[in-house]
Amino acid sequence: MSCGISMVKYILFIFNLLCSICGILLIVFGALLFSNIHNVDDFTDALRTQQVPITMIVLGTVILLISWFGCCGAIRESYCMSMTYSILLFVLMIGQLALVVYMWLQKDKYLVIMGDVVEKAWERRTRRADYMDAIQISMECCGRSSYADYAFQGYFPPSCCKDTNNCRQETVYRRGCKQAFVEFWDRNSDIIKYTGLVIAAIEFVGFIFACCLANSIRNYRRRADY
């Protein structure tokens, strides 16, 4: 095998090894964020209220699968696996670009969806408060609209205060969770969009290398047949 093919092969292998690590990390962090599921009702609610960890798990799985094709194609010098990897990587890149464009053009609609996440968590707090507690702790907020939402019950949940052992009206978070959650995604939407573009550009470079490797393998085998 020529020196050029070997260099492309090793670059592609390292690239996919790093992608595999990123995919595994996404799956692990997504699984840690995902609440424990006890029955079908809990699973349905989790799908509705935990889009972020679910997206992380699905994306990590897809990246791991595609990276596996890339690593195997590079190690085995397989034209078929290299081309399969190229196609899958191209589809993933197009999907990410479509998501970035959606966030760019439909930002207001996206923020409404994020607000609905808090609404659903608030509605189901009487059965299980873990979703609402997680939002209140991470966003440092209290209640759906404000801490006054808990006035009817006469006390505040520990997740509404930094000092969970001394949660009272004087120490409770003042800001409502719906506002805090929407503002968080509003602030970070540009970071997400530009990060998506950078990742898509990296994937495009990987796509070019994979195509070059597949083409070099095919040409080498054709020459070897003569």
Side-chain angles (χ1 to χ4, degrees):
M1 191 65 69
S2 66
C3 179
I5 294 179
S6 297
M7 184 179 69
V8 173
K9 180 179 72 173
Y10 289 126
I11 292 175
L12 196 61
F13 175 77
I14 294 173
F15 172 80
N16 284 287
L17 189 61
L18 294 175
C19 287
S20 298
I21 295 173
C22 291
I24 292 171
L25 290 175
L26 278 174
I27 294 172
V28 170
F29 286 130
L32 290 175
L33 288 173
F34 198 80
S35 296
N36 293 327
I37 299 171
H38 301 289
N39 54 50
V40 176
D41 291 335
D42 287 344
F43 183 73
T44 302
D45 289 332
L47 290 177
R48 291 174 180 172
T49 59
Q50 299 203 62
Q51 290 95 334
V52 174
I54 292 172
T55 302
M56 290 174 66
I57 294 171
V58 172
L59 184 60
T61 303
V62 172
I63 291 175
L64 189 62
L65 177 64
I66 294 176
S67 300
W68 180 81
F69 272 102
C71 287
C72 291
I75 294 173
R76 295 171 60 87
E77 297 176 357
S78 169
Y79 170 78
C80 180
M81 296 194 76
S82 296
M83 283 305 300
T84 301
Y85 167 74
S86 301
I87 295 170
L88 292 174
L89 192 62
F90 183 76
V91 171
L92 178 63
M93 181 184 68
I94 295 299
Q96 288 182 193
L97 288 175
L99 181 61
V100 169
V101 171
Y102 170 80
M103 291 186 64
W104 225 300
L105 300 179
Q106 302 290 335
K107 182 179 179 180
D108 293 338
K109 185 177 179 180
Y110 172 75
L111 293 178
V112 169
I113 294 173
M114 293 297 102
D116 289 341
V117 171
V118 178
E119 291 284 353
K120 292 171 183 175
W122 176 257
E123 290 171 2
R124 71 185 299 279
R125 77 192 184 285
T126 54
R127 287 186 290 121
R128 288 186 63 195
D130 51 352
Y131 298 128
M132 199 64 204
D133 286 340
I135 294 174
Q136 288 173 162
I137 292 171
S138 59
M139 296 288 112
E140 295 188 348
C141 58
C142 186
R144 178 179 54 185
S145 301
S146 73
Y147 69 95
D149 291 333
Y150 286 106
F152 71 95
Q153 65 184 27
Y155 65 93
F156 301 100
S159 58
C160 275
C161 302
K162 274 192 176 181
D163 184 1
T164 58
N165 296 318
N166 184 29
C167 194
R168 46 197 172 84
Q169 187 167 347
E170 291 76 12
T171 60
V172 74
Y173 297 128
R174 302 292 170 175
R175 190 169 55 160
C177 288
K178 185 172 182 179
Q179 177 189 357
F181 198 65
V182 170
E183 286 179 354
F184 171 81
W185 288 106
D186 188 24
R187 287 194 309 270
N188 292 281
S189 61
D190 287 338
I191 297 175
I192 296 171
K193 287 184 288 191
Y194 290 118
T195 301
L197 290 176
V198 171
I199 293 174
I202 294 172
E203 289 171 348
F204 180 73
V205 173
F207 169 75
I208 295 298
F209 272 106
C211 289
C212 290
L213 177 62
N215 187 60
S216 298
I217 293 172
R218 182 178 60 181
N219 292 336
Y220 177 83
R221 289 180 177 174
R222 281 179 177 176
R223 288 193 298 267
D225 291 336
Y226 291 105

